[in-house]
Amino acid sequence: MEQHEHDAQTDLSPRTKVVALGRPQRAPGASLNPPVTFTSTYIQDGPVNYARVDNPTWTPFEVAVGELEGGRALLFASGMAAVHAALALVPTGGTVVAPAAAYNGVVVSLTAAQADGRVTVRWVDVTDSDAVLAALPGADLLWLESPSNPLLELADIPGLTAAAHEAGALVVVDNTFATPLLQRPLQDGVDVVVHSATKYLAGHSDVILGLTVTADTDGGRELHTRLTRHRTLAGAIAGPMEAWLALRGLRTLSLRLERACANAADLAERLGTHPRISRVRYPGWGAIVSVEVAGDGDGAAAAEALTEGTRIWSPSTSLGGVESQLERRRRQPGEPEAVPVNLVRLSVGVEDVDDLWTDLRQALDAIG
């Protein structure tokens, strides 16, 4: 497999790393960008004999994200494929401590696994550290989101990680919302970081990919081996074109995130002044803002009206793209009851912030 530059990049800013990492080795006449390798099979007696095991197009993206997170990244076919690989680290009959309000796919997967008798789940409020600590004895894994999806609640990652390890549990943190430019959970001792690379890392709403990242330690390398085995045997592999597109998207992560975060901070302040908004959920950083819409009854109809009344904002069930998107999360089957029915999650994009506000305001003004 082709080698990629990364050994001399440790002293660079993350803003430089997203551009510089995962490039082919420099040589006269060499390509600046890595090529796409379309193959299912390799000539025998090499390091790889079948493309379900590896593809050289995965490597530069894995190198780049791994370096950004401070560990070793492993690319998967989707964010949920990465989630299930991480959950597969829990032994049959084991116990998972997880947020009662988290990403829908995680909640549904854990609920199904518990119904099948594969695991026991202890649901907690991750903002209540005492409650999390009380749930840890005998647990095999602590699953965290911070900020959480879609309530944007924050967990004490360092403190809870230390307590989980003391209780003998692994810790997984979904870092999709923050990205390694805003938060690096491996530095806090976390065992596995999970990403839906579909979102901010790729950034253009045109690929579906996931990642796990583990520390470059003895324990981290052992986890990396187990996750790799799961990917190979489950066939949860990325297409080479998707991997190449994700790396191309990663090049502008710093620029996109900087603009989106600035827009989000501005909009969170403006939304707090509108009479149709009863609550703004915004942790003070990041590019996601969640709002609760005031209206008749429980406000669900008013929240739907907001999502249906915008022209620039796209009503869609994803996030992290250059375009601004919004969604009433409780319209999704299996969404946790802890999520208010009138909550709308806003994924703030890179458009002009005044245009974004004007669009939201006219939709809010038109409600009722």
Side-chain angles (χ1 to χ4, degrees), residues 61-229:
F61 188 52
E62 291 176 331
V63 166
V65 176
E67 184 77 22
L68 288 167
E69 284 284 9
R72 301 183 67 190
L74 193 65
L75 187 60
F76 285 83
S78 67
M80 283 305 299
V83 164
H84 277 269
L87 292 177
L89 297 171
V90 180
T92 301
T95 297
V96 179
V97 178
Y103 170 56
N104 179 290
V106 172
V107 173
V108 171
S109 295
L110 285 173
T111 300
Q114 180 163 249
D116 292 341
R118 200 184 83 75
V119 300
T120 297
V121 184
R122 299 172 184 166
W123 303 104
V124 295
D125 175 356
V126 296
T127 67
D128 185 346
S129 293
D130 289 339
V132 179
L133 294 176
L136 285 175
D140 297 279
L141 186 143
L142 171 62
W143 190 281
L144 294 175
E145 294 178 355
S146 186
S148 64
N149 181 8
L151 299 184
L152 301 180
E153 295 174 331
L154 299 179
D156 176 10
I157 293 177
L160 294 179
T161 296
H165 287 165
E166 186 174 345
L170 294 173
V171 181
V172 177
V173 170
D174 186 333
N175 205 31
T176 299
F177 275 22
T179 83
L181 269 60
L182 300 179
Q183 175 175 273
R184 302 178 76 197
L186 293 181
Q187 292 184 334
D188 295 323
V190 166
D191 299 290
V192 182
V193 168
V194 170
H195 281 279
S196 173
T198 306
K199 310 305 193 297
Y200 289 105
L201 298 184
H204 291 79
S205 303
D206 54 8
V207 300
I208 294 181
L209 290 172
L211 289 153
T212 61
V213 192
T214 52
D216 193 16
T217 60
D218 289 345
R221 285 190 288 271
E222 191 267 337
L223 289 172
H224 182 84
T225 298
R226 292 172 63 185
L227 292 165
T228 302
R229 182 170 63 244

